[in-house]
Amino acid sequence: MKKAHIISHTHWDREWYLPYEKHHMLYIEMMDTLIDTMEKDQEYKYFHLDGQTIMLEDYLQVRPENRARLQKLIGDGRIAIGPWYVLQDEFLTSSESNVRNLQMGYKLAQEFGGKWTKTGYFPDSFGNVGQAPQLLKKAGIDTAVFGRGVKPTGFNNQTADAYESAYSEMNWQSADGSAVLGILFANWYNNGAEVPVEEEKSKVYWDKKLADAVRYASTDQLLFMNGCDHQPVQTDLSAAIRTANALYPDVDFVHSDFAGYVEQIKKELPDDLNMITGELRSQKTDGWYTLANTASSRIYIKQWNVRCEMLFEKVAEPLAAIAAKEGMEYPQDLFTYGWKLLMQNHPHDSICGCSVDDVHREMITRFEKTEQVALHIISMCMDYLKGKINTSAVKEGNIPFVVVNTTGWDRTGVVEMELETDRMYFSEAPLAEVIARMHEKKLPEYRVLDKDGREIPAVVTEIANHFNYDLPKDKFRQPYIAKRVKITMEAAGVPAFGWDTYVLAEAEDINTANSLITTENTMENEFLKAHFEPDGSVELTDKKTGHVYKNLGIFEDCGDIGNEYIFFAPVNDIPVTTKGTKAEITVAEDNACQAVIRVKHTMMLPDAADKTLAGEIEDLVEFKYRKASRGSHLVPFEIVAEYTLEKNGKGLKVKTTFNNQIKDHRLRVLFETGLKTDFHYADSVFEVAKRPNVPADTWENPCNAQHQQCFVNVHEDAYGLTIANKGLAEYEILRDGKNTIAVTLHRGVRELGDWGVFLTPEAQCLGEKTTEYEIIPHGMGEELYHSYEEAYQFQTDWQTAGMERQTGTLPQTYRFVEKKHLQAVPTALKHSMLTGDVILRFCNLSDEETTVTVSQPEIFTYDLLEKDRLQKEENEIVLGKHEIRTIGWRG
């Protein structure tokens, strides 16, 4: 007998085609109705609260008096909550953000009685990351349900293809071998919405719905999702189910939940389920509706997010863990608050940049608030640690300062900082006198010494006097005027999760800086030689391998008459590029630490699409069928790219700025690799995903843009090229015979898209824009992983602070823990929010086992939620291929 499992739910985008608070108010109405319905109608048994526990907080913000009613329904198992805090976009949030999302969802569920729904819920994710099965399994979840990424073929067209499934049920496996039961919403997550009560309508409804479900189901357990986007509660569902049971005696219609449905389906699964492996990105489709171009919609949102994630997971948390080891209380409550703020920007319609303008304006406010919390924690930790470093050996009159490396690898690079050399408080004299006396003070020439007194490459310049203030813990604020210098210096071999100290000393002799500019338009160091062609492109020589890359840094602009979800170039549009044009090339900086060459391009571009586009949008013409083209009015578009080569840099760092006043277009930067390979590698969530350069035969979309996190890499057997970025989430490998990497720097459109007319003028992203990326050539073997290491460090800011001459308990060079790793990447150093234990997480990027060595007396492996110690470990820990491992010790 077939059983129809009707699961009531609403898919609640917190913000999308309406601003957050409008959706919020409608949500309060929906929840009021749900609670009333469940209390009055005992046959209305279950409701799935969309897999996101933040909805509990959203409701109780307005209805705190209903907490007990809500908690009882949750405790009775009628309202299912979790596993996530928010329904994020997996590809556009970091590895650790995806983990914190699960952890916060679990923690909040505990606050509501502990009934945490163990269903990996991805109803509307724009693709699913390849490591999701492993993440779920390590959190104790063995089932995932999702709406996108896989196209089922049905019974009459079964296939063994790795990315297709004969059924809506399948096994889904990560690269490490972890597998979960995967359930696809083959008929979408609204296939059981608005069930009729009246018999005649019910018969028509269920004849079609049952046939659609049977077409894909592998068992007699049929899934019907009773709800959709912002769907109100169907209050007469119990009567509708009674009608259906009377009409179809051979089908058992039940009001169900995922726990009951999954339990039943597992008993009947056939042996011929497909095993799908890795990423689910709709690779075997025509390519039009993967929604991958949300990676380039409102790029400023992605840049803000990467910055805030960096500040929390790569700076504040490691600093707090170090400070806690040295006696400071770990500020877990501040982290919980800050992470919640940040994750409120992670729902897919938010972080993907595919909402109305009001939504994204509010997101900026949240990002600013998040940044302020992170910077406060960082400042608190730096103040604590710098106050304990022993600088008593520093010569009187010299100024000690500390450079902190919060990445998981030892680090060499150029550090820029501002340092106060003298100050005068307002309390010391009348204000006018304070200002005058500080203006009169003259600073000497300075040099920078390491802790052993050796001079290191540095440039020290005086900058303007500066107003600042102290906020003592035991007295009123204390304003002052400070004299300052800017220091540009090379920090060499700063320990991972540690620091080195330096001294600003008066210079006896001024050294002449060594130049990195060797000939006209050429700069080089021990590792790289960068020569700039007349069109501004770079010819880059990797001195270690001897390989030369040409045509790096060509800019390409084309029209875009698509929407926030999907890029679409006008038919017959010919991109405008800087290749072969004349660029203005100048030396912007040249000293012992680094050289900077500035390249200025001027492109003549149409200022917008022609007038046809506005009418096509108003008439709801689908993007694929639009006839609009780029306009005929050309205006100058200036791009300035600053290329920085550090004294010991392994990559060429680039900062690109432009003032965008052009509408309806996409700007990319191109890197011609010239490498012969069928595959490339993109940094993703807990993996570097291997992807084919050429899409499947079914692919029709001329664009094959894809997601990246920190970098994309193309390599052959002997050498390769890694392009790192900061918040540039979209790239494409061009099918040009040269495997050119194209990274999107800007995309501007005028509408949201999807189901109606929602104009979004702010999605044109007008105004001053800055993007950052790094070109990293490499050899093979260990050198490949070192290029990844360089790319990961590129995203993380150095931390610096001036200090006093003082006695202290901490050494001038400090390392939090001794460790060794190559293929394994450290992704977290923090304390568990559940146990307070110190947590260190790694993921193995390679296809083989690797060893991580950690010098710590008593090490444990933990589950992903960091609540249970699973087993005791030796100092040498073996990670399986592509394994994510959470280790730690008692704090």
Side-chain angles (χ1 to χ4, degrees), residues 5-9 185 187-196 205-206 209-210 213 223-228 231 234 237 240-241 255:
H5 293 261
I6 301 172
I7 298 182
S8 292
H9 78 109
F185 294 133
N187 296 298
W188 206 228
Y189 53 72
N190 65 347
N191 70 323
E194 299 180 348
V195 182
Y205 180 94
W206 284 115
K209 296 292 185 179
L210 289 168
L223 175 62
F224 298 96
M225 298 296 291
N226 176 235
C228 197
Q231 181 92 30
Q234 183 176 348
L237 181 62
I241 291 175
H255 200 202

Side-chain angles (χ1 to χ4, degrees), residues 597-727:
I597 286 183
R598 180 179 294 122
V599 179
K600 180 179 177 181
H601 302 273
T602 301
M603 307 172 76
M604 296 302 295
L605 302 177
D607 62 353
D610 65 23
K611 295 180 180 180
T612 307
L613 181 58
E616 290 178 326
I617 290 174
E618 287 300 320
D619 291 341
L620 293 170
V621 176
E622 188 179 3
F623 68 92
K624 286 194 297 183
Y625 305 109
R626 291 175 182 171
K627 305 300 182 184
S629 62
R630 300 194 80 171
S632 58
H633 182 230
L634 302 182
V635 296
F637 182 75
E638 292 185 351
I639 303 171
V640 176
E642 292 190 336
Y643 293 82
T644 299
L645 181 65
E646 298 179 357
K647 179 177 183 292
N648 285 295
K650 301 294 181 63
L652 188 62
K653 298 178 179 178
V654 193
K655 178 180 290 187
T656 297
T657 58
F658 51 92
N659 184 348
N660 179 54
Q661 299 299 327
I662 306 291
K663 298 179 181 179
D664 312 313
H665 74 125
R666 180 184 68 183
L667 176 69
R668 303 198 292 188
V669 59
L670 310 183
F671 307 93
E672 184 182 300
T673 74
L675 300 172
K676 305 300 182 184
T677 176
D678 294 330
F679 296 93
H680 66 278
Y681 302 81
D683 183 52
S684 188
V685 173
F686 287 112
E687 69 172 337
V688 176
K690 181 179 181 180
R691 296 171 181 165
N693 297 340
V694 178
D697 292 340
T698 57
W699 200 269
E700 298 175 3
N701 190 344
C703 178
N704 187 27
Q706 300 179 51
H707 293 86
Q708 64 174 333
Q709 295 232 342
C710 291
F711 59 83
V712 61
N713 169 273
V714 177
H715 65 255
E716 292 182 358
D717 292 338
Y719 36 72
L721 191 67
T722 296
I723 306 296
N725 75 87
K726 294 183 180 180

Side-chain angles (χ1 to χ4, degrees), residues 130 151 190 310 320 399 429 468 521 542 703 713 782 816 825 882:
K151 182 179 179 182
N190 65 347
M310 177 270 293
I399 303 172
N468 206 348
N521 296 342
D542 181 351
C703 178
N713 169 273
E782 292 187 1
F816 177 76
V825 172
H882 300 288

Side-chain angles (χ1 to χ4, degrees), residues 197-474:
V197 175
E198 194 268 329
E199 287 189 8
E200 184 176 345
K201 291 181 180 178
S202 181
K203 183 72 166 60
V204 173
Y205 180 94
W206 284 115
D207 280 351
K208 181 176 185 341
K209 296 292 185 179
L210 289 168
D212 288 344
V214 166
R215 180 184 175 198
Y216 299 112
S218 65
T219 74
D220 286 337
Q221 309 298 317
L222 307 178
L223 175 62
F224 298 96
M225 298 296 291
N226 176 235
C228 197
D229 301 345
H230 309 100
Q231 181 92 30
V233 177
Q234 183 176 348
T235 56
D236 60 358
L237 181 62
S238 298
I241 291 175
R242 289 195 295 271
T243 299
N245 274 316
L247 287 172
Y248 297 87
D250 56 341
V251 179
D252 183 15
F253 292 85
V254 296
H255 200 202
S256 188
D257 62 357
F258 277 110
Y261 166 67
V262 170
E263 180 182 2
Q264 292 297 312
I265 203 174
K266 285 181 177 179
K267 296 175 182 178
E268 300 180 16
L269 290 173
D271 296 331
D272 63 340
L273 287 188
N274 285 65
M275 176 68 78
I276 58 174
T277 304
E279 299 178 312
L280 309 182
R281 296 182 293 106
S282 301
Q283 296 97 319
K284 301 293 182 178
T285 68
D286 61 14
W288 285 115
Y289 296 96
T290 66
L291 310 186
N293 298 123
T294 53
S296 59
S297 182
R298 302 180 191 258
I299 284 175
Y300 65 93
I301 292 290
K302 281 70 171 175
Q303 293 173 309
W304 257 111
N305 184 59
V306 165
R307 170 166 173 76
C308 289
E309 287 177 329
M310 177 270 293
L311 289 174
F312 269 104
E313 66 194 52
K314 298 174 183 175
V315 180
E317 287 178 340
L319 276 176
I322 295 169
K325 179 182 178 182
E326 304 305 334
M328 190 187 89
E329 183 178 354
Y330 190 84
Q332 185 58 68
D333 290 345
L334 301 186
F335 279 120
T336 298
Y337 174 73
W339 270 109
K340 282 185 174 182
L341 268 177
L342 178 55
M343 285 191 286
Q344 287 171 24
N345 279 347
H346 286 177
H348 51 272
D349 289 309
S350 303
I351 194 61
C352 286
C354 55
S355 294
V356 294
D357 291 339
D358 313 61
V359 166
H360 300 296
R361 284 198 297 272
E362 185 169 0
M363 286 180 69
I364 296 302
T365 300
R366 289 193 206 114
F367 279 131
E368 289 172 339
K369 289 160 64 74
T370 299
E371 180 187 51
Q372 291 161 21
V373 175
L375 291 175
H376 174 76
I377 297 173
I378 291 167
S379 176
M380 179 174 65
C381 294
M382 289 290 289
D383 286 347
Y384 181 85
L385 290 169
K386 75 177 186 181
K388 287 184 168 291
I389 297 174
N390 187 357
T391 59
S392 58
V394 173
K395 181 181 176 181
E396 187 173 357
N398 290 345
I399 303 172
F401 62 95
V402 63
V403 174
V404 183
N405 167 26
T406 56
T407 77
W409 303 267
D410 290 0
R411 189 175 187 185
T412 294
V414 172
V415 178
E416 293 186 343
M417 64 175 293
E418 294 178 359
L419 185 65
E420 294 182 354
T421 60
D422 196 6
R423 65 176 62 171
M424 187 172 183
Y425 287 92
F426 289 9
S427 58
E428 296 181 52
L431 180 58
E433 183 179 340
V434 169
I435 294 172
R437 286 167 61 180
M438 292 304 289
H439 277 310
E440 291 168 2
K441 282 195 173 185
K442 302 299 180 184
L443 292 181
E445 298 289 345
Y446 284 113
R447 60 179 177 158
V448 175
L449 310 177
D450 67 14
K451 66 180 181 300
D452 298 317
R454 295 186 293 262
E455 185 172 355
I456 64 171
V459 177
V460 183
T461 56
E462 183 176 355
I463 55 179
N465 289 357
H466 175 63
F467 164 76
N468 206 348
Y469 52 88
D470 294 332
L471 293 176
K473 301 298 182 183
D474 58 350

Side-chain angles (χ1 to χ4, degrees), residues 149-168:
V150 175
K151 182 179 179 182
T153 59
F155 289 129
N156 296 324
N157 187 25
Q158 293 190 20
T159 176
D161 193 290
Y163 282 95
E164 298 290 321
S165 174
Y167 308 110
S168 53

